[in-house]
Amino acid sequence: MSLSQPMNAKTSIKLRDLASELDGLSLASLQKKLDAINIPAINLLNSHVNKAPLDILNASEIVLHINQSSESIKSAYGIVKLLSKSPEERELGFLIEASSESKSKTIFHNIKMAGNAFQHIHLTYLGCLVPGNTYINADNSGI
């Protein structure tokens, strides 16, 4: 399914399907795609969340934009734990800013291992942004 198709009640895009289409996209293009398909994104790059998690508690799919700082990772895991308290199936996509792609994948792997305790929370690696690059590398091999 193309992201340019209109959304309706019978059509939805899963984050794991979207991940294959992100390689080479800019962050701004990703945000436009997410807005078009009504998937909220939470920026956890700073110590404060730019959007209250309460705004997205009913969303079944959410994108978390994090970096390799301990505060950002803790905030992401806190959101995973918060969402795990409800019985609904959730899919969380992770876009990770890190010093290298391998570091980004390691961060995601660690979060995913910790999140395995929550059977109804599904974590998806959307890709990474490395310093000096404004385009997403969405290589999911090895994850």
Side-chain angles (χ1 to χ4, degrees):
M1 182 175 105
S2 169
L3 291 176
S4 60
Q5 293 177 329
M7 296 294 290
N8 62 39
K10 296 181 181 179
T11 308
S12 68
I13 295 175
K14 296 292 179 197
L15 287 174
R16 62 186 150 267
D17 299 330
L18 178 64
S20 65
E21 300 181 26
L22 299 182
D23 197 38
L25 279 184
S26 69
L27 193 54
S29 295
L30 170 63
Q31 188 60 54
K32 285 180 186 175
K33 286 186 182 291
L34 293 175
D35 289 345
I37 57 177
N38 296 318
I39 295 178
I42 302 174
N43 181 334
L44 298 171
L45 299 179
N46 300 316
S47 59
H48 65 283
V49 176
N50 69 354
K51 183 184 215 180
L54 294 177
D55 292 348
I56 52 92
L57 284 180
N58 291 327
S60 61
E61 298 169 332
I62 302 164
V63 171
L64 301 178
H65 184 184
I66 68 171
N67 61 23
Q68 64 188 42
S69 73
S70 60
E71 295 84 17
S72 183
I73 294 168
K74 283 184 218 174
S75 294
Y77 186 70
I79 289 173
V80 171
K81 282 182 62 176
L82 176 68
L83 294 175
S84 73
K85 294 178 190 272
S86 68
E88 292 88 14
E89 293 282 322
R90 308 283 181 143
E91 185 176 11
L92 302 177
F94 283 81
L95 178 62
I96 303 172
E97 290 190 20
S99 57
S100 68
E101 184 179 357
S102 63
K103 179 73 172 175
S104 174
K105 287 181 177 183
T106 299
I107 291 167
F108 176 75
H109 175 77
N110 291 341
I111 292 171
K112 188 170 184 170
M113 290 299 104
N116 279 343
F118 313 117
Q119 298 297 319
H120 57 289
I121 304 291
H122 308 284
L123 307 182
T124 300
Y125 179 76
L126 296 178
C128 75
L129 289 166
V130 295
N133 191 356
T134 57
Y135 295 97
I136 299 167
N137 183 346
D139 176 16
N140 286 299
S141 62
I143 296 188

